[in-house]
Amino acid sequence: MGKNYMPSNALAFLNFVKNLMRYATANYSRWDISQATLNELQLLVDAYEAAVEVSENPDTRTSASIMRRNETRSALEKKLRPFVQGQLEYNELVTDDDLLAMALPVHDRTPTKHPAPHSRPALEVTPTNNREHTVRAANQHTGKDTKPADAYGVRYVSDIRDTPPLNADDLRHSVFSRKTIHVYEYSEENRGKTAYYAACYENSKGEPGPWSDIVSAIIP
């Protein structure tokens, strides 16, 4: 739900929130919402309404009264937005008609599916310092470091071996990163040995795409 569904005008916001509270008070038991939560919100609504009355009265309208009105609105919104998003928007008992009656936008309740990535990173390994390798998972379609749209991050696997691995599953060490460049640092005793690497993209659920080719380099 967007952040701009609440009116910016003081009186319009007051009418919006009073209507929402009237409807919620009449239906909270059907929605399985705590009355204590509504009571807490109602106290903030009452405080805001009183502040609006003072700030809109020509006899009492001052910069201090306007500031007070804005402060009470801020306190109300701080509680109201989480209530709307947590208790109404994702509440299966709140219908689309309920949302419309409270002047709230009707949203798509079907979760967006994020399939596993289908692209393979083009992996490169470069000795960049003593006992250090920099591994780059480039976008094979663009050659750039930007991940494809269906990738949340990169799963890197590595191992120091005497013989080449048959596949990425033979590489014992695994690390996930949101970045497409990962630096490996090794101890002095590993100098001259061969390190092997592979990588795949993962979506936000940790579902992997296909593995890259296995690359290798001697540890300098």
Side-chain angles (χ1 to χ4, degrees), residues 27 34 40 48-49 54 62 67-68 71 73-74 80 87 103 122 126 144 160-162 186 214:
N27 292 279
S34 166
E40 182 180 2
Y48 178 68
E49 182 173 17
V54 173
T62 63
M67 182 180 296
R68 173 60 181 164
E71 289 174 347
R73 171 168 178 156
S74 179
L80 185 61
Q87 301 287 334
T126 305
K144 298 181 179 180
I160 296 173
R161 296 172 53 98
D162 295 328
Y186 294 98
I214 296 173

Side-chain angles (χ1 to χ4, degrees), residues 117 119-124 135-139 144-148 150-157 173-182 184 197-204 206-212:
S119 300
R120 295 196 318 152
L123 206 62
E124 302 172 0
V135 178
R136 175 175 177 255
N139 187 319
K144 298 181 179 180
D145 295 335
T146 306
K147 298 186 294 288
D150 59 358
Y152 179 72
V154 182
R155 172 70 58 182
Y156 298 91
V157 290
H173 306 294
S174 174
V175 62
F176 175 82
S177 175
R178 294 294 310 281
K179 298 180 180 180
T180 56
I181 293 178
H182 190 71
Y184 287 84
Y197 304 95
C200 68
Y201 294 122
E202 288 187 359
N203 64 14
S204 58
E207 297 172 327
W211 286 106
S212 70

Side-chain angles (χ1 to χ4, degrees), residues 1-93:
M1 186 176 292
K3 294 183 178 180
N4 298 323
Y5 59 90
M6 296 184 184
S8 57
N9 177 270
L11 288 174
F13 175 71
L14 178 61
N15 291 332
F16 162 80
V17 75
K18 288 176 68 175
N19 172 69
L20 186 152
M21 290 301 296
R22 280 194 297 268
Y23 195 90
T25 300
N27 292 279
Y28 74 92
S29 59
R30 174 166 63 88
W31 298 337
D32 196 23
I33 291 175
S34 166
Q35 186 175 18
T37 300
L38 288 179
N39 291 342
E40 182 180 2
L41 275 173
Q42 189 61 56
L43 291 175
L44 296 171
V45 173
D46 293 343
Y48 178 68
E49 182 173 17
V52 169
E53 290 178 356
V54 173
S55 67
E56 293 298 316
N57 187 331
D59 295 332
T60 56
R61 182 180 177 84
T62 63
S63 58
S65 68
I66 294 173
M67 182 180 296
R68 173 60 181 164
R69 181 195 70 197
N70 293 340
E71 289 174 347
T72 56
R73 171 168 178 156
S74 179
L76 173 56
E77 281 200 49
K78 187 176 180 180
K79 292 290 186 180
L80 185 61
R81 287 189 185 276
F83 170 74
V84 170
Q85 293 167 1
Q87 301 287 334
L88 302 180
E89 181 185 8
Y90 296 108
N91 188 337
E92 294 181 353
L93 300 176

Side-chain angles (χ1 to χ4, degrees), residues 93-199:
L93 300 176
V94 178
T95 67
D96 289 348
D97 288 339
D98 291 331
L99 294 172
L100 290 172
M102 291 181 286
L104 296 173
V106 175
H107 57 279
D108 183 2
R109 297 171 186 258
T110 303
T112 302
K113 294 184 178 180
H114 299 284
H118 63 274
S119 300
R120 295 196 318 152
L123 206 62
E124 302 172 0
V125 56
T126 305
T128 47
N129 210 335
N130 288 337
R131 306 183 308 280
E132 181 181 282
H133 283 162
T134 296
V135 178
R136 175 175 177 255
N139 187 319
Q140 65 174 341
H141 300 295
T142 66
K144 298 181 179 180
D145 295 335
T146 306
K147 298 186 294 288
D150 59 358
Y152 179 72
V154 182
R155 172 70 58 182
Y156 298 91
V157 290
S158 65
D159 203 358
I160 296 173
R161 296 172 53 98
D162 295 328
T163 57
L166 296 177
N167 51 54
D169 292 334
D170 289 340
L171 302 178
R172 298 173 299 169
H173 306 294
S174 174
V175 62
F176 175 82
S177 175
R178 294 294 310 281
K179 298 180 180 180
T180 56
I181 293 178
H182 190 71
V183 177
Y184 287 84
E185 297 180 351
Y186 294 98
S187 62
E188 182 67 26
E189 64 183 14
N190 287 316
R191 275 194 174 193
K193 296 181 180 179
T194 301
Y196 294 86
Y197 304 95

